[in-house]
Amino acid sequence: MSNRLHPSLLLLLVTILLSINHSEELQSSQSQNLLRIQRLLNFPAALSSWNKDTDFCSTDSNSSLSVVCYEGNITQLHIIGERRAPLQNFSINSFVTTLVRLPSLKVLTLVSLGIYGPLPGKIANLSSLEIVDVSSNFIYGSIPREISSLSNLQTLILDNNMFAGQFPDWFNSLPALTVLSLKNNLFNGSLPRSIGSLVDLRILSLSHNHLYGAVPDLSSLKNLQVLELDDNAFGPQFPRLGNKLATLVLRNNRFRSGIPAEVSSYYQLEKLDISSNTFVGPFQTALLSLPSITYLNISGNKLTGMLFENLSCNSELHVVDLSSNLLTGSLPKCLGSNSSDSDRIVLYARNCLEKPNENQQPQPFCHTEALAVGILPERKKHKQGSEVALSLGIVGGAIGGVALVLLIFFIIRKGNAKSKMKNPPTRLISENAASGYTSKLLSDARYISQTKKMGAVGLPTYRSFSMEEIEAATNYFDAASLIGEDSYGQMYRGQLKNGSLVAIRCVKMKKSYSTQNYMHHIELISKLRHCHLVSSLGHCFECSLDDSSVSRIFIVFEFIPNGTLRSWISDGHAGKSLSWTQRIGAAIGVAKGIQFLHTGIVPGVYSINLTIEDVSLDQNLVAKISSYDLPLLSNMRKVRHGSSSSGFKNSSSNKSVKHEDKSDIYDFGLILLELILGRTIKSRNDADAFKDLLQASIVADDAGRRSVVDQAVRKACLDQSLKTMMEICVRCLVKEAAERPSIEDVLWNLQFAAQVQDAWRGDSHSSEGSPGSPLQPPRLPFD
């Protein structure tokens, strides 16, 4: 009996053997899954050391690869690659299915691996996840809502992908979240108030998206240390925040309030960047001496205040940019060239500081600009009112006196002219309003904000032309210069003295219009300047002396040499056809032009009856809308810039005020239809039939979609890009105006289609256009 094992001891041995066997099987299974991940990622360099004999739980870690195990289970997986293009023939669904077979994962880092596709919701099956970083890939679509079930998730980093759609409203379901970084994506919409309930949040980075509206109250986030909201459209009020911030970046948004006084009490603040907004009110000089501040940028605002030489600065402050504000006084000695910190970068141009010969504005400029934005000097209020009233009275009296003198002069001159001339010739009205921007235009903040961006357009300042300039440019209206004529007048091709080619529209005017009407319309026309519009450069009035009525107005436009967009598809322009990438770029340009007409000026221009013939291409093949409803001719409806199109005009909807922008969306859908199909749309029946064809193609396979595309680009367009373009087109052409997308939604989807196509092509691919086409226009920026 002594040689027999005790039953309990035998049971223990069996349990140990089974446990060892199960552990070995588990490790073998995990090893197989890791090798499958290696194959699905197309054997990246970071995983070159993996093979079937690798003991993954004992491998050495490096900056590109780390596998961490606990009790034989993989708990951390870090892979950092160098791939800058999406993987070909990659299935993100298979990839995530393999990942979830590692159920003990707590930390998952997959960076720069070319992962492509929409993130499947099944990733939430990794219920133990605490840290997720999948930045710098090509993941698109919305963030799956299933992630909200990851109750242990502390860090979520999705930077540098193509995630899109409304900003999620369920992040408050992640109670442990401390880091949320979604930089460089395509998210849109406003931030939900629920974001303010993430009390443990330390980092919130949402830079470079399409987010807009007021920033919700974040003052309850007592642990928030980093807030980055730059390059969006947030505003107008400065956000309410906690006082533990170390980094606050609000650059390039639409804030236009004052800076709250409590910002000067952010004692842990190291970096503050509020540049390129329209912040007003006094600059708080205490920001220069915050105990932790090292970087301060307030440039490109309307901040006022007087600086003094004896102001103190933090000795660790290495970068200070005060440029382009309304600051007066003297630059503090601590920021001067003789300061103790020789490596400090200090910029202060375009203020009104007492620094001669250093690109400063004259003192009255800052005072006038401060008044223009409603910032008055710090004096007693009753004194402000009396002085402003006195100033207005003086200015008003002066204007009235000048107006009276001019009226008398005009009457005398008119009488002399009648007595001297039997058949009075025409003369030119020269008005001061056209020589620069009028006070009315300067008071229009939305217009001024756009004109500040005109440097990129490359257009000269809008001005008044003399009749002599118009005649010289057209060779005295020589018949060879005439390029078009309709019921409103003629269009001439001309050349200015500086060699610039222009198109000059001669508009016959009704006598019922007064000079005041004309000036109002000219002010509106001068606003229509944008890189995707054929913009006006100036005008010239021609009036008859016998009744002072305006008989003709000459409007001078930039000349666009490369023909219409339609001429570059179908049969092509001189045998050359636009590539798929160039077609998407042209569509983006047209959409941006429409967006500017709708929202970039006041009042907006709607129902422009746009056709593909109304879009021209410049020397770089940048699309410009060359025909739109000029406010001057709003009672005459359509005016064309030299076009003789007989194309199909939209009569798709009742152009009610409620949906006045949606008729332009329908017209844009027709343009997309021709870009995709390479066919001319001649009637409403054609449009409906081709729309149904696209609708059917969307749900078909890749080959089915390509079968309907213009043959010139059929082989070169990525299926996801093509499908996205088709979906946009169909949505734009729905019958109910209210169901059509906004121009912002259209733009975001077009940009997605372009990014997918560009990423797929990679930098090594040549143009996908016709083989003989040498055209390579610059890639359009997605701002």
Side-chain angles (χ1 to χ4, degrees):
M1 293 291 295
S2 61
N3 294 329
R4 297 178 63 185
L5 288 173
H6 192 276
S8 59
L9 182 59
L10 180 62
L11 180 61
L12 178 61
L13 288 173
V14 170
T15 302
I16 293 173
L17 289 173
L18 289 175
S19 176
I20 292 174
N21 184 56
H22 175 72
S23 178
E24 289 177 349
E25 289 180 359
L26 184 62
Q27 291 182 24
S28 175
S29 173
Q30 292 184 136
S31 298
Q32 292 174 6
N33 288 323
L34 289 179
L35 292 174
R36 178 171 171 79
I37 287 173
Q38 181 189 36
R39 291 195 302 273
L40 291 171
L41 292 177
N42 196 22
F43 300 93
L47 306 183
S48 59
S49 63
W50 284 5
N51 56 60
K52 63 180 180 179
D53 298 322
T54 301
D55 182 357
F56 292 100
C57 290
S58 301
T59 56
D60 294 332
S61 300
N62 56 52
S63 59
S64 301
L65 176 63
S66 176
V67 180
V68 178
C69 301
Y70 178 72
E71 295 183 348
N73 295 313
I74 297 175
T75 58
Q76 297 187 31
L77 177 61
H78 304 262
I79 309 174
I80 301 177
E82 298 179 351
R83 193 171 184 87
R84 291 175 172 81
L87 289 165
Q88 298 297 310
N89 301 317
F90 177 76
S91 171
I92 195 170
N93 188 61
S94 299
F95 181 73
V96 173
T97 299
T98 305
L99 276 177
V100 299
R101 293 173 184 160
L102 304 174
S104 300
L105 269 181
K106 292 185 176 183
V107 179
L108 178 63
T109 302
L110 303 168
V111 176
S112 297
L113 295 171
I115 298 172
Y116 170 79
L119 188 62
K122 68 178 72 175
I123 195 168
N125 292 339
L126 292 169
S127 57
S128 299
L129 279 176
E130 297 176 1
I131 297 175
V132 175
D133 182 357
V134 293
S135 55
S136 300
N137 286 291
F138 299 88
I139 307 174
Y140 58 83
S142 59
I143 304 175
R145 192 180 184 89
E146 289 86 343
I147 288 181
S148 63
S149 66
L150 297 176
S151 57
N152 298 316
L153 191 63
Q154 300 173 20
T155 297
L156 181 61
I157 303 175
L158 308 178
D159 299 345
N160 302 302
N161 278 285
M162 298 183 292
F163 285 103
Q166 291 286 320
F167 188 88
D169 59 359
W170 43 257
F171 281 124
N172 59 324
S173 300
L174 301 171
L177 199 62
T178 59
V179 176
L180 178 60
S181 188
L182 310 177
K183 295 186 291 189
N184 289 297
N185 280 286
L186 302 170
F187 290 109
N188 61 71
S190 57
L191 296 185
R193 292 182 180 179
S194 58
I195 202 77
S197 63
L198 294 171
V199 294
D200 291 326
L201 200 62
R202 295 179 181 273
I203 297 176
L204 179 59
S205 296
L206 306 176
S207 309
H208 308 286
N209 278 283
H210 301 292
L211 301 169
Y212 55 82
V215 179
D217 187 349
L218 303 179
S219 59
S220 60
L221 304 184
K222 302 299 184 182
N223 297 310
L224 189 64
Q225 297 176 357
V226 175
L227 178 62
E228 297 174 324
L229 303 179
D230 45 306
D231 292 314
N232 282 286
F234 289 118
Q237 297 298 317
F238 196 98
R240 296 186 61 188
L241 306 168
N243 59 6
K244 290 187 178 180
L245 281 169
T247 297
L248 175 58
V249 182
L250 304 179
R251 182 182 64 250
N252 195 21
N253 276 283
R254 296 179 182 176
F255 295 106
R256 55 178 185 270
S257 65
I259 303 175
E262 57 263 26
V263 177
S264 296
S265 65
Y266 291 176
Y267 297 118
Q268 299 181 35
L269 192 62
E270 300 175 8
K271 178 178 181 178
L272 176 62
D273 187 347
I274 60 171
S275 59
S276 301
N277 284 284
T278 319
F279 282 112
V280 298
F283 166 58
Q284 299 167 25
T285 55
L287 295 174
L288 294 167
S289 57
L290 284 174
S292 301
I293 196 75
T294 61
Y295 181 102
L296 176 64
N297 189 346
I298 65 167
S299 64
N301 286 288
K302 298 278 186 183
L303 295 172
T304 62
M306 181 170 287
L307 304 182
F308 300 96
E309 290 186 351
N310 61 352
L311 287 175
S312 60
C313 308
N314 187 324
S315 60
E316 299 298 320
L317 185 56
H318 297 306
V319 176
V320 182
D321 192 347
L322 311 176
S323 307
S324 300
N325 279 285
L326 306 175
L327 302 175
T328 58
S330 302
L331 189 71
K333 289 182 178 179
C334 62
L335 298 180
S337 57
N338 296 325
S339 64
S340 58
D341 189 349
S342 59
D343 294 329
R344 178 179 289 158
I345 298 173
V346 180
L347 304 172
Y348 49 85
R350 296 178 296 283
N351 281 285
C352 298
L353 298 174
E354 297 172 1
K355 299 287 288 187
N357 303 321
E358 294 199 28
N359 196 13
Q360 296 295 309
Q361 305 282 2
Q363 291 289 326
F365 173 85
C366 289
H367 179 76
T368 304
E369 285 290 298
L371 289 174
V373 294
I375 309 168
L376 297 175
E378 295 181 0
R379 301 176 183 175
K380 294 182 179 179
K381 291 185 178 179
H382 72 274
K383 192 172 182 181
Q384 292 174 0
S386 61
E387 290 188 1
V388 172
L390 179 61
S391 299
L392 291 176
I394 295 172
V395 173
I399 293 175
V402 173
L404 181 62
V405 171
L406 289 176
L407 179 62
I408 295 172
F409 174 78
F410 179 79
I411 293 172
I412 294 173
R413 183 170 180 179
K414 180 178 177 182
N416 291 338
K418 281 188 175 182
S419 63
K420 289 180 180 180
M421 286 182 269
K422 217 173 192 181
N423 298 313
T426 58
R427 69 177 177 87
L428 175 71
I429 289 182
S430 176
E431 71 295 326
N432 292 331
S435 62
Y437 296 119
T438 66
S439 59
K440 182 178 184 301
L441 293 182
L442 289 171
S443 67
D444 189 339
R446 289 181 69 183
Y447 174 53
I448 295 302
S449 68
Q450 292 292 337
T451 60
K452 285 182 178 179
K453 301 175 183 178
M454 285 298 107
V457 181
L459 297 178
T461 303
Y462 188 95
R463 68 182 180 90
S464 173
F465 286 85
S466 68
M467 196 64 202
E468 289 76 16
E469 287 180 287
I470 300 296
E471 290 174 341
T474 59
N475 194 20
Y476 295 91
F477 304 105
D478 187 88
S481 301
L482 184 66
I483 57 177
E485 185 172 8
D486 54 29
S487 59
Y488 309 126
Q490 299 81 30
M491 176 68 80
Y492 292 90
R493 183 177 184 270
Q495 186 171 14
L496 302 179
K497 286 184 178 180
N498 63 5
S500 301
L501 294 177
V502 293
I504 301 174
R505 153 113 8 221
C506 172
V507 182
K508 301 174 183 177
M509 301 309 300
K510 295 181 179 180
K511 291 188 177 182
S512 59
Y513 272 63
S514 66
T515 303
Q516 185 178 1
N517 291 134
Y518 296 134
M519 288 310 304
H520 174 67
H521 287 308
I522 287 299
E523 286 179 353
L524 293 178
I525 290 171
S526 67
K527 295 181 182 182
L528 302 176
R529 296 164 67 82
H530 188 266
C531 57
H532 293 295
L533 297 184
V534 177
S535 302
S536 54
L537 306 179
H539 70 277
C540 172
F541 283 165
E542 185 182 56
C543 300
S544 176
L545 280 177
D546 62 345
D547 58 3
S548 297
S549 63
V550 177
S551 57
R552 293 190 296 179
I553 295 180
F554 298 92
I555 307 175
V556 182
F557 295 92
E558 57 177 326
F559 185 80
I560 307 300
N562 251 336
T564 68
L565 179 56
R566 173 177 281 163
S567 70
W568 283 89
I569 61 175
S570 303
D571 295 333
H573 182 93
K576 301 170 184 175
S577 179
L578 290 182
S579 69
W580 180 246
T581 298
Q582 290 166 338
R583 295 185 192 207
I584 300 176
I588 290 173
V590 176
K592 286 184 176 181
I594 294 174
Q595 184 186 43
F596 174 79
L597 291 171
H598 286 184
T599 64
I601 56 174
V602 177
V605 178
Y606 299 94
S607 302
I608 57 179
N609 295 319
L610 187 66
T611 72
I612 198 167
E613 287 285 351
D614 300 325
V615 179
S616 300
L617 298 181
D618 69 6
Q619 63 274 13
N620 295 318
L621 299 187
V622 173
K624 292 175 176 279
I625 299 175
S626 60
S627 182
Y628 41 83
D629 278 343
L630 295 176
L632 180 66
L633 305 173
S634 58
N635 63 321
M636 303 179 187
R637 303 309 303 159
K638 191 69 175 172
V639 57
R640 296 184 175 280
H641 304 300
S643 169
S644 59
S645 169
S646 59
F648 161 56
K649 281 292 179 187
N650 169 36
S651 58
S652 66
S653 62
N654 295 322
K655 296 176 182 177
S656 63
V657 174
K658 185 176 181 181
H659 300 300
E660 60 183 349
D661 59 327
K662 295 305 176 72
S663 64
D664 296 328
I665 297 297
Y666 184 92
D667 293 339
F668 182 74
L670 294 175
I671 293 175
L672 285 183
L673 201 58
E674 293 204 27
L675 286 172
I676 294 170
L677 302 178
R679 303 183 185 184
T680 300
I681 310 299
K682 297 181 179 179
S683 68
R684 177 66 184 275
N685 289 336
D686 281 355
D688 290 342
F690 286 131
K691 174 204 165 189
D692 293 339
L693 177 63
L694 284 195
Q695 185 84 60
S697 300
I698 290 173
V699 297
D701 57 12
D702 184 358
R705 277 187 287 276
R706 292 181 188 276
S707 66
V708 302
V709 179
D710 188 352
Q711 289 186 357
V713 296
R714 184 174 297 175
K715 295 180 180 179
C717 51
L718 184 66
D719 182 60
Q720 181 60 49
S721 175
L722 173 60
K723 187 176 180 181
T724 301
M725 290 285 283
M726 287 181 168
E727 289 171 343
I728 303 168
C729 181
V730 169
R731 287 183 61 202
C732 290
L733 295 175
V734 297
K735 292 183 178 180
E736 293 298 325
E739 296 179 7
R740 296 170 196 156
S742 67
I743 191 62
E744 287 77 18
D745 287 336
V746 169
L747 255 176
W748 287 323
N749 283 279
L750 288 173
Q751 290 168 352
F752 168 69
Q755 288 181 352
V756 169
Q757 183 69 21
D758 283 353
W760 173 72
R761 285 192 312 154
D763 294 335
S764 62
H765 284 66
S766 59
S767 172
E768 320 93 1
S770 54
S773 174
L775 299 170
Q776 285 288 340
R779 183 180 299 174
L780 291 175
F782 302 135
D783 32 272

